[in-house]
Amino acid sequence: MEKPHTHVHGCTQCGCNNPILEILKKELFSSENLDRMKPAPGQTTTQPSPQTLMISGGIIRPMIGGSTEKVEAIGIADGNVVIAGEKETVTAFMNDNYPGYQTKELTDGQTLLPGLIEPHVHIVPAAMMAEWIDVSPFNGQDLLAKYDLESIGTTINGNLPTTPGYVILGRGLDPSLMPFVSDSGVNELQTITNTVLDQINKDPMMLLSASMHTLYLNTSALQYVFKNSKYVQDHYITPDEYVKQTQGQLQESKQMTPALEVIQAQVVAMAKNMDAYLTSLFKLANSRGVTFMYDAGLNDNFETVLTSYVQGNPELVRIGGALLCADQAAADGLGTYPLPTTYKPVYYGHVKVVSDGSNQGLTGYQSAPYCCDPANNTGIFNFPEKGIPADTIPPLYDTLINTVVAGKGWPLMIHANGDQAVTFAIEAYQSALAQYRGPELRNRIEHCSLLTPDQITSMLQMGVSPSFLIGHVGYWGYAFNEVIFKDKAQMLDLCGSSLAAGMRITLHSDNEVSPLGPLRMMEQSITRIMEENTGSIEVLNAPECITPEQALIAVTYDAAWQCYADEWAGSLDTGYFADFVILEKDPLSLTTQSSQYMKMRNIPVLETWLGGAPVYVAGS
């Protein structure tokens, strides 16, 4: 008999290392499916020809050296920037070196910036789930005005599968953004069980959480799994026992695998058009000004999928990422670090280690229990050891980090959300870097959600930089402040303090955990407005607000640096790729009123260019 549901190892609000992709590895990444993603023999990819062009007028901020200063004109040729500066100088240079060049004049207010960067996303998982019903709390980049069980039911019942016998599949379910439930006068998060889902639809239904680590089933889906899974029949006496013990909450591979195996034909059928889903994802990124995406959890299969895609389709974004390392064996097997000095599609810049879970999923590893149910819950740590106190770094985890950094010389990204997980990450870096002998590494802590001033100082001294999932403040800040953390929410995403100490920071979406959109991320870091509190404008820890200039650097120049892409992206310096975006309005020109900044995510993206060729033009 299985144990009742509890939070278990590895339940992270992060798209990497998730059970679905492990479970479907052989089917999804079969040779047959991979062959479908490759170009046919003799087929060539049609890439738009780069233009030879001088752009002037409007506002041009090339971000050279991280400066937000404006120039009058910029010249591009052969896919690269060839000059930027005063219009007279650029004109003379283009006349002398590129006679016959074209010109483009921006109108007043139109703004040209380097292509915006998403420094932490999960590309293949996001594309794979494209056909599942979207039951997330987002409408574009905004929270839905109404997100509760009723609205989710309306969405599901309005998009039911038409194929007979298909199980209803949904993605992105997020109980932490539903209205709070009052328990004896105390607010708690909504709990999702099989009986709750039965009220939405009684046909077999499975809804995947935003983290892809929890699968919620209604009663008929549980019964369907029991009927079709020998594993479940071997571990539970009756269907009623299976329903009673799990309550429709299946977590991690052990519990999710039997359910997904009985619908694997349906899931694999959805995933076979991966190239089309990737194209859709990249076009969405282009429409939000993105020209570079850094995947924070690559493995061999993901690399194969993405490389095959690039070989068979026009390039829409630059792609790099971190190699996922889940255990000591993977660390021991690392080869020599391939320092990226020139761009190649799907390059590796880091190793990635996921140490804990999600704060909004109540699985980020904390030094003290969460302020909400279940009682005494401090989350999870992915490298536990028996007999090691909760506040002591596990030696096996410490050894893993030492192997990657000091032993193999790879830069590292550590996923750490809870304050205890952040503490462990800092301690592990201190140990590893004390033994490291080699060139400076751009080590990172991903999400780095809960910080103290002393920890910021320690990270600065080690050269470790944070990448903040800033949606924690904008989207989930109210839930953190009111229910999940309360006073501890003041420690969340200390962007202002980090910059004041002299650190370089970046902002990321962790897509699909939050929507793609660097302009939105800029806005949330500038205002820190808790958007779920629709009754009034309320700011979470106002001293941590940063300036528009600082936010722009975080999604361009410093993002490229953090991703080892600063030799070709992040600015429009001479010799860099001509990857840029043209906006209808300058994001740095908005007033200092918070209500104005709430419109930054809505600045229209007019054009996005990659390698001197347009990949997105609004309205076309």
Side-chain angles (χ1 to χ4, degrees):
M1 181 183 301
E2 295 278 326
K3 293 181 179 180
H5 162 76
T6 57
H7 287 303
V8 294
H9 165 75
C11 179
T12 130
Q13 188 88 358
C14 185
C16 59
N17 201 27
N18 73 77
I20 283 205
L21 295 166
E22 281 298 308
I23 294 162
L24 299 176
K25 182 183 291 184
K26 292 182 180 178
E27 291 79 10
L28 178 63
F29 301 110
S30 66
S31 58
E32 178 186 357
N33 280 351
L34 291 175
D35 285 343
R36 290 171 61 93
M37 302 174 198
K38 295 179 181 178
Q43 176 183 334
T44 58
T45 300
T46 303
Q47 189 74 25
S49 299
Q51 298 186 19
T52 305
L53 180 67
M54 185 184 86
I55 306 174
S56 59
I59 298 169
I60 301 174
R61 301 187 191 275
M63 304 297 293
I64 296 172
S67 170
T68 59
E69 294 300 313
K70 296 179 285 187
V71 299
E72 293 180 345
I74 188 168
I76 62 174
D78 302 320
N80 297 325
V81 177
V82 293
I83 189 172
E86 295 181 355
K87 184 175 182 181
E88 182 178 351
T89 302
V90 174
T91 300
F93 180 88
M94 296 299 287
N95 285 335
D96 290 343
N97 294 277
Y98 301 97
Y101 66 90
Q102 297 177 302
T103 61
K104 184 180 184 72
E105 187 77 12
L106 304 180
T107 62
D108 289 346
Q110 290 184 349
T111 301
L112 186 151
L113 301 170
L116 307 180
I117 296 173
E118 282 274 4
H120 181 132
V121 292
H122 298 282
I123 298 171
V124 174
M128 176 189 158
M129 310 303 298
E131 286 192 29
W132 295 45
I133 300 171
D134 182 3
V135 291
S136 75
F138 302 109
N139 176 22
Q141 299 184 74
D142 297 319
L143 289 174
L144 291 167
K146 181 181 180 183
Y147 185 67
D148 56 18
L149 295 171
E150 180 182 2
S151 67
I152 290 168
T154 299
T155 297
I156 290 171
N157 291 319
N159 294 277
L160 295 174
T162 56
T163 304
Y166 264 29
V167 173
I168 302 167
L169 300 178
R171 60 180 168 84
L173 189 68
D174 194 338
S176 67
L177 284 176
M178 296 180 190
F180 304 141
V181 177
S182 181
D183 183 7
S184 302
V186 176
N187 285 334
E188 297 288 351
L189 301 183
Q190 174 70 58
T191 300
I192 306 296
T193 65
N194 60 297
T195 55
V196 168
L197 295 184
D198 288 344
Q199 299 173 38
I200 292 176
N201 196 297
K202 294 188 182 301
D203 290 336
M205 178 170 63
M206 303 182 184
L207 305 182
L208 189 64
S209 70
S211 67
M212 299 189 187
H213 285 257
T214 305
L215 193 65
Y216 299 99
L217 281 68
N218 65 359
T219 302
S220 59
L222 290 168
Q223 293 169 340
Y224 180 81
V225 172
F226 185 92
K227 178 181 178 181
N228 292 280
S229 171
K230 186 177 185 304
Y231 175 90
V232 173
Q233 294 172 8
D234 289 343
H235 286 76
Y236 296 89
I237 300 171
T238 65
D240 288 344
E241 183 69 20
Y242 183 47
V243 172
K244 180 181 178 182
Q245 292 294 331
T246 66
Q247 299 181 55
Q249 301 171 351
L250 308 184
Q251 295 222 24
E252 291 307 314
S253 295
K254 184 177 181 181
Q255 292 186 329
M256 292 169 62
T257 297
L260 292 169
E261 284 180 341
V262 304
I263 60 162
Q264 72 175 25
Q266 181 178 340
V267 174
V268 171
M270 288 180 166
K272 281 188 176 179
N273 294 320
M274 181 68 76
D275 57 345
Y277 301 145
L278 288 170
T279 296
S280 178
L281 177 65
F282 295 149
K283 285 185 175 180
L284 175 63
N286 291 158
S287 74
R288 294 178 183 168
V290 175
T291 58
F292 177 57
M293 300 173 77
Y294 199 70
D295 193 299
L298 288 175
N299 58 34
D300 291 343
N301 285 324
F302 289 7
E303 181 190 11
T304 299
V305 169
L306 292 172
T307 300
S308 297
Y309 174 86
V310 170
Q311 292 171 349
N313 296 273
E315 190 173 20
L316 299 173
V317 297
R318 313 286 178 189
I319 302 172
L323 176 63
L324 188 64
C325 181
D327 53 36
Q328 187 63 41
D332 290 338
L334 288 172
T336 303
Y337 175 58
L339 177 68
T341 54
T342 57
Y343 175 72
K344 78 174 188 68
V346 203
Y347 73 92
Y348 285 120
H350 292 81
V351 159
K352 171 73 176 295
V353 171
V354 182
S355 72
D356 73 336
S358 151
N359 291 333
Q360 62 267 38
L362 308 183
T363 52
Y365 193 48
Q366 311 296 342
S367 60
Y370 288 90
C371 296
C372 56
D373 286 338
N376 301 315
N377 171 35
T378 56
I380 59 96
F381 192 70
N382 286 346
F383 302 90
E385 291 186 57
K386 291 183 178 180
I388 304 299
D391 60 352
T392 300
I393 186 170
L396 291 178
Y397 170 71
D398 193 43
T399 299
L400 174 66
I401 304 306
N402 269 275
T403 301
V404 173
V405 176
K408 301 293 185 175
W410 277 72
L412 181 62
M413 299 165 59
I414 301 179
H415 163 120
N417 261 313
D419 66 329
Q420 190 63 59
V422 172
T423 296
F424 284 171
I426 291 171
E427 290 177 356
Y429 274 132
Q430 288 171 329
S431 174
L433 291 171
Q435 303 173 55
Y436 174 70
R437 302 293 182 267
E440 184 177 347
L441 301 177
R442 300 174 192 177
N443 293 311
R444 301 166 47 169
I445 298 181
E446 303 307 291
H447 316 321
C448 204
S449 301
L450 299 168
L451 275 173
T452 67
D454 287 344
Q455 289 176 327
I456 291 173
T457 300
S458 295
M459 291 173 63
L460 178 66
Q461 292 171 344
M462 294 187 293
V464 175
S465 62
S467 186
F468 293 115
L469 174 53
I470 195 61
H472 276 151
V473 172
Y475 294 135
W476 290 278
Y478 187 66
F480 285 139
N481 198 51
E482 296 296 315
V483 175
I484 297 173
F485 287 141
K486 298 189 177 178
D487 290 346
K488 192 175 177 179
Q490 299 300 305
M491 298 170 60
L492 194 66
D493 290 357
L494 300 187
C495 299
S497 293
S498 298
L499 288 169
M503 299 178 76
R504 301 173 79 165
I505 72 168
T506 65
L507 310 171
H508 68 260
S509 66
D510 200 10
N511 186 252
E512 281 198 321
V513 173
S514 73
L516 295 172
L519 289 174
R520 181 269 303 172
M521 297 187 295
M522 287 177 61
E523 175 190 313
Q524 290 176 327
S525 69
I526 294 163
T527 68
R528 295 181 67 94
I529 290 172
M530 297 184 287
E531 298 168 33
E532 192 181 5
N533 183 19
T534 56
S536 62
I537 293 179
E538 189 174 350
V539 175
L540 178 62
N541 198 355
E544 293 302 322
C545 295
I546 66 177
T547 68
E549 289 79 8
Q550 290 171 327
L552 179 58
I553 293 168
V555 300
T556 54
Y557 190 78
D558 281 354
W561 168 82
Q562 203 180 55
C563 297
Y564 284 93
D566 52 322
E567 295 294 324
W568 59 79
S571 80
L572 296 171
D573 204 347
T574 301
Y576 281 50
F577 286 136
D579 298 350
F580 58 88
V581 59
I582 300 174
L583 306 176
E584 185 177 279
K585 184 185 296 185
D586 180 12
L588 305 192
S589 69
L590 300 182
T591 72
T592 56
Q593 297 177 357
S594 294
S595 57
Q596 273 294 108
Y597 283 117
M598 290 303 290
K599 298 179 182 179
M600 186 177 286
R601 73 190 71 185
N602 298 326
I603 295 175
V605 175
L606 302 179
E607 299 177 19
T608 302
W609 291 58
L610 194 81
V615 291
Y616 170 80
V617 178
S620 65

